[in-house]
Amino acid sequence: MALILWSHPYAGYGQKTAVALYELGLPFELKLVDGSPEAMEGFMAVSPFAKMPALVDTAAGRTVIESSIVIEYLDRLAGGGRLIPADPDLALEARFIDRILDTYVGGNMNRIVFNRLGRAGTPNETAMALDAKELESAWDMLEARLGDGRTWGAGETFTLADCGAAPLMTYARRLVPFGDRPRLRAWHARLMARPSFVHALEDAAPFGNLMPAPLPED
């Protein structure tokens, strides 16, 4: 088995996949997507929408895109039942939390960053305010979901839900703070201490701070 991950160590969805790889103990080769013509040519060949990450399993002759699907694929390679729980109800909850994080945390965060960097011209303050409000709603939903006392995003084991939560929450809280949401804060603290995420952050450290927002003060 030879796994090649096309990504950037600072990218949120790339970190999400790296966390899964480290959790599962699967060795992989990083193909750095750094914006250079050479890197982009190879990247576009495996990721037609130019979205990170893209996973190439050379042994199987298969390319997988979309971070959540990549993680499902990796979980199967590692024997199954770890990041995607074998229990169907727990698996459904893991996928649900993952969707909330990808769509309403990562999605809104990326649109705000896109605006702040002026990628589409003058930043749209109205659009950023709407995205921030929706991100607040995501924090509220996650805080309520954690009210049953669960340790991790979907229950008592680290799953797909936590792979995405680790980087996406870490970056998004710099735009919209957690505020008075103690359960969300406690979950995030556990994520920050998880060895797989610590490893992913170490991979990103050489690239500096690329987030156009200050470190959180809350």
Side-chain angles (χ1 to χ4, degrees), residues 3-165:
L3 301 176
I4 299 172
L5 183 68
W6 288 82
S7 187
H8 190 288
Y10 202 92
Y13 294 104
Q15 284 186 11
K16 171 182 172 179
T17 305
V19 167
L21 285 159
Y22 292 138
E23 283 287 329
L24 297 169
L26 296 173
F28 67 98
E29 174 189 351
L30 175 67
K31 286 286 189 180
L32 181 63
V33 182
D34 60 2
S36 67
E38 296 79 13
M40 291 307 297
E41 181 180 0
F43 180 47
M44 291 295 291
V46 297
S47 181
F49 301 109
K51 299 294 185 182
M52 294 182 279
L55 180 82
V56 179
D57 182 346
T58 59
R62 188 167 187 176
T63 298
V64 188
I65 61 173
E66 293 296 322
S67 60
S68 299
I69 306 303
V70 170
I71 291 173
E72 292 227 18
Y73 183 78
L74 293 172
D75 193 62
R76 290 184 187 182
L77 282 183
R82 291 178 60 183
L83 298 179
I84 308 297
D87 180 275
D89 289 333
L90 292 176
L92 188 64
E93 182 69 3
R95 292 186 178 101
F96 173 73
I97 297 298
D98 175 72
R99 290 295 82 222
I100 296 300
L101 288 159
D102 272 13
T103 306
Y104 302 108
V105 175
N108 288 299
M109 174 189 71
N110 284 334
R111 285 192 296 272
I112 294 172
V113 169
F114 187 86
N115 259 295
R116 286 197 177 185
L117 292 175
R119 297 282 174 79
T122 303
N124 186 326
E125 297 294 337
T126 300
M128 286 193 289
L130 290 172
D131 283 325
K133 184 177 180 180
E134 197 163 78
L135 188 43
E136 289 267 10
S137 295
W139 291 159
D140 287 338
M141 173 175 281
L142 293 169
E143 176 74 9
R145 210 74 175 186
L146 293 163
D148 61 4
R150 65 185 67 177
T151 300
W152 298 106
E156 293 309 304
T157 61
F158 191 99
T159 67
L160 165 69
D162 303 286
C163 293

Side-chain angles (χ1 to χ4, degrees), residues 194-214:
R194 189 77 177 186
S196 57
F197 187 43
V198 171
H199 197 165
L201 290 175
E202 290 172 347
D203 291 343
F207 297 92
N209 183 1
L210 304 179
M211 184 72 175

Side-chain angles (χ1 to χ4, degrees), residues 101 105 109 139 142 146 164-174 176 178 184-185 187-188 191:
L101 288 159
V105 175
M109 174 189 71
W139 291 159
L142 293 169
L146 293 163
L168 297 180
M169 288 171 59
T170 296
Y171 292 146
R173 70 179 297 217
R174 294 173 63 172
V176 178
F178 288 154
L184 192 63
R185 289 172 177 274
W187 177 30
H188 184 254
L191 291 168

